[in-house]
Amino acid sequence: MTNPFLDLAPLSADRFASIEDRVARLLDTQQDVVIMQGEALLPLEGAIRGTAGPGTTALNVITGPYGQTFGNWLRDCGATVYDLSVPYHTAVTADQVREAFAEHPEIDFVSLVHAEAATGNTNPVAEIGKAVSEQGALFYLDAVASVGAEPVLPDAWGVDLCVIGAQKAMGGPAGVSAVSVSERAWARMAANPQAPRRSYLSLLDWKERWIDGGRKALLHAPAQLEMLALEACLERIEAAGLDAVMDRHARAAAATRAGAPALGLEPYVHKASEAAPVATTLRAPSDIDASELVSRALETDPALPLAAGGGPLAKEMIRVNHYGADATRDVVEAALTALGTALTGLGATVDVAAARNAVAEASRR
């Protein structure tokens, strides 16, 4: 008995390389791009462990939970770490980064999350990249949530390690991910005696055994179905046009922010310019538990892209995940309608019709 998914010919090295080339075009980068065979945490951790060690002094920007994770990895590598934390309802600024450099001129590594889907904020990477370049530090960027929803330009922004995943705005698979690596980053890894070797975390293995070998022989059997799904995802973005895909996400974000106030839900991120187009976070009314509200809303349709905030934010934050196939007016309207119904059931007075009208108006702009 044959199966179209299980009985495919093995993925060739040439086809694997061609998918890497398409990712490079998506990022408009001349840097080496490595597609790693696992979820984005794999290159996120591998890039830090490859470049950081006891001699590293890092500025770790925290605008959400992933920034905290990166700081933990850096310390585990033996790096000296200075955390720059800002409230989750805002974004970090280039001036704040420069102030950190002035206070600690020995900083030679900067880690930053572009868009925090968990908290709904996005950081001005282009401006921060200029500040990092002035410092001469290595720049590490988590663009997993932002790619496909807003510009991600590692070369133009001076990013040395840019990690992406396809499972959010790109509308692709979660089982493979990619990282663009600058020559400076490769040199830092080569000089780092702690950089993983012969390891699933090793980027150097990919450089020495894959890139330097002319991309003729893969390190190990690839995640075939996930690679084919990534290829299909890239084809879909290319056919629609990246600008059109990003515009669809921007419209979904604007529609969510426009409709939520009619339900008594204020955007958690105060400024629209600092709000991520991949997800909108909302603040629940003070007398209503966000987790209970989301649970009731999902009774209407469990497939709606709604979630409560994580950890200590679970009681106050609601997240509308309008990314990938869910970055549409219809999905936003359905999500807000479900929240309105749930709020009514909890005794709140809301205007669902006004919310829908605001979504429609914002979607037309």
Side-chain angles (χ1 to χ4, degrees):
M1 181 176 180
T2 61
N3 186 293
F5 294 115
L6 301 180
D7 300 320
L8 296 167
L11 190 72
S12 69
D14 285 345
R15 191 163 183 184
F16 192 105
S18 73
I19 299 171
E20 286 185 335
D21 291 341
R22 295 175 94 151
V23 172
R25 289 195 294 273
L26 177 73
L27 299 176
D28 194 21
T29 183
Q30 298 300 310
Q31 297 178 6
D32 290 325
V33 169
V34 177
I35 297 179
M36 299 193 76
Q37 304 298 283
E39 199 270 340
L41 280 172
L42 174 62
L44 285 169
E45 183 174 358
I48 282 181
R49 295 196 182 278
T51 52
T56 303
T57 303
L59 175 65
N60 180 51
V61 180
I62 300 176
T63 57
Y66 278 100
Q68 295 172 339
T69 297
F70 300 158
N72 292 338
W73 287 339
L74 287 161
R75 291 182 177 91
D76 189 52
C77 290
T80 299
V81 182
Y82 297 105
D83 288 326
L84 171 55
S85 300
V86 300
Y88 290 173
H89 65 258
T90 188
V92 72
T93 67
D95 285 343
Q96 289 173 308
V97 171
R98 288 191 175 93
E99 289 169 6
F101 291 155
E103 188 173 351
H104 303 287
E106 69 276 22
I107 289 170
D108 62 2
F109 185 102
V110 175
S111 52
L112 175 72
V113 178
H114 187 182
E116 285 270 13
T119 50
N121 53 35
T122 191
N123 292 300
V125 182
E127 297 170 19
I128 293 169
K130 291 179 182 178
V132 176
S133 179
E134 293 164 4
Q135 177 74 3
L138 204 73
F139 193 10
Y140 163 101
L141 183 69
D142 171 355
V144 174
S146 56
V147 66
E150 53 189 308
V152 176
L153 301 167
D155 291 12
W157 297 343
V159 178
D160 295 288
L161 295 155
C162 182
V163 177
I164 68 166
Q167 70 267 32
K168 288 189 167 64
M170 289 176 65
V176 288
S177 48
V179 54
S180 65
V181 187
S182 73
E183 289 300 323
R184 291 201 318 152
W186 284 133
R188 180 80 70 99
M189 286 184 224
N192 181 9
Q194 292 189 178
R197 299 272 190 158
R198 299 301 185 191
S199 164
Y200 205 56
L201 287 170
S202 178
L203 283 167
L204 279 175
D205 286 356
W206 282 96
K207 174 164 175 53
E208 294 170 357
R209 298 169 58 195
W210 169 245
I211 295 172
D212 292 350
R215 298 194 297 179
K216 299 299 183 185
L218 290 161
L219 273 65
H220 45 70
Q224 171 139 318
L225 297 181
E226 288 80 1
M227 288 296 295
L228 295 176
L230 175 60
E231 182 180 53
C233 161
L234 291 163
E235 288 175 350
R236 187 164 59 183
I237 292 171
E238 290 165 0
L242 180 58
D243 287 344
V245 175
M246 292 191 293
D247 181 68
R248 182 164 55 82
H249 284 82
R251 287 177 181 273
T256 307
R257 288 180 70 89
L263 306 179
L265 302 173
E266 292 299 324
Y268 196 91
V269 178
H270 296 176
K271 296 180 181 178
S273 61
E274 296 177 347
V278 73
T280 297
T281 47
L282 305 169
R283 189 179 295 277
S286 58
D287 59 340
I288 292 178
D289 183 285
S291 294
E292 182 181 359
L293 174 60
V294 168
S295 179
R296 287 187 176 225
L298 289 174
E299 291 175 2
T300 303
D301 180 357
L304 289 172
L306 294 170
L313 300 175
K315 291 185 178 298
E316 65 183 49
M317 180 186 285
I318 303 148
R319 190 169 76 241
V320 183
N321 294 315
H322 41 68
Y323 54 71
D326 289 330
T328 68
R329 168 185 165 179
D330 288 347
V331 170
V332 169
E333 186 173 297
L336 292 183
T337 298
L339 287 170
T341 300
L343 284 162
T344 300
L346 289 169
T349 300
V350 302
D351 191 339
V352 175
R356 288 175 176 163
N357 289 338
V359 167
E361 178 61 28
S363 299
R364 285 193 289 267
R365 292 174 186 164

